[in-house]
Amino acid sequence: MNFWWFVVKLSLDFKTRSPRKEFWMFYIGNIIVFAVLLILITLFLYALKVTNYRELIAVYSAFVMIWRIALLLPTLSLQTRRFHDANKSGWLTVLFFICSFILGFVSSAFENLSSSSQNFTILTLVVIACLAIDIWLFVILGFVKGTSSSNKYRPNPLG
């Protein structure tokens, strides 16, 4: 959990580098903290005997939105530093963010389309392109080793 807090504290650092370990510890920490909070919310709702489906969805949706907004800056900052570690532009973070937003937006648009529609085909191609870009960027973030020496984004964080 120290890595998780460490990344949150560095939310405004978009200039330096971060190693893969920091990236993975932050994401694993996110999963753990999110799951614990979700369990606590569920227990709280159970104690209040909330069983209405719409109310449950509203509470969970609000929680997810608040969680994503709260971690937006630390996540963008960490992704930028990881791209810097791989000697890539931090602006790739914007591409990652845009593709993720498009995927969320397009997934809701699919509900109103028939599979024979031309718009369905276009949206499907957009989804495939965004998924391919997201996977490529995620591989860089999580699996590409940083440059072993100094690069234009500062010295190697591992020494």
Side-chain angles (χ1 to χ4, degrees):
M1 294 310 299
N2 289 335
F3 275 100
W4 193 81
W5 282 114
F6 178 74
V7 170
V8 171
K9 288 183 211 174
L10 289 176
S11 294
L12 298 176
D13 179 8
F14 287 85
K15 295 184 189 237
T16 59
R17 297 167 57 177
S18 290
R20 289 177 292 180
K21 182 178 181 180
E22 187 176 313
F23 172 82
W24 284 112
M25 292 298 112
F26 179 70
Y27 275 85
I28 290 168
N30 276 345
I31 292 168
I32 293 168
V33 172
F34 182 82
V36 167
L37 290 174
L38 197 60
I39 289 168
L40 291 174
I41 289 170
T42 302
L43 291 172
F44 181 72
L45 292 171
Y46 180 77
L48 292 177
K49 298 185 185 336
V50 177
T51 58
N52 182 310
Y53 179 74
R54 289 182 190 258
E55 290 174 359
L56 291 171
I57 294 299
V59 169
Y60 289 131
S61 295
F63 168 67
V64 170
M65 277 197 304
I66 292 168
W67 179 259
R68 292 189 81 181
I69 290 169
L71 289 178
L72 180 63
L73 195 57
T75 301
L76 293 175
S77 172
L78 175 61
Q79 289 175 350
T80 300
R81 292 193 312 274
R82 272 299 301 139
F83 283 126
H84 288 173
D85 194 43
N87 206 22
K88 306 245 182 263
S89 172
W91 286 104
L92 287 171
T93 300
V94 175
L95 180 62
F96 198 56
F97 182 74
I98 289 170
C99 282
S100 296
F101 177 79
I102 289 172
L103 285 172
F105 177 75
V106 169
S107 67
S108 63
F110 271 119
E111 294 176 7
N112 303 320
L113 294 175
S114 67
S115 60
S116 61
S117 164
Q118 182 180 4
N119 290 340
F120 182 83
T121 305
I122 292 169
L123 287 178
T124 301
L125 292 174
V126 168
V127 166
I128 291 169
C130 284
L131 280 174
I133 291 169
D134 273 359
I135 290 169
W136 171 64
L137 294 174
F138 186 76
V139 167
I140 292 172
L141 291 171
F143 299 102
V144 172
K145 184 178 180 183
T147 53
S148 56
S149 60
S150 294
N151 65 23
K152 63 183 175 182
Y153 300 105
R154 304 279 202 274
N156 184 348
L158 299 176

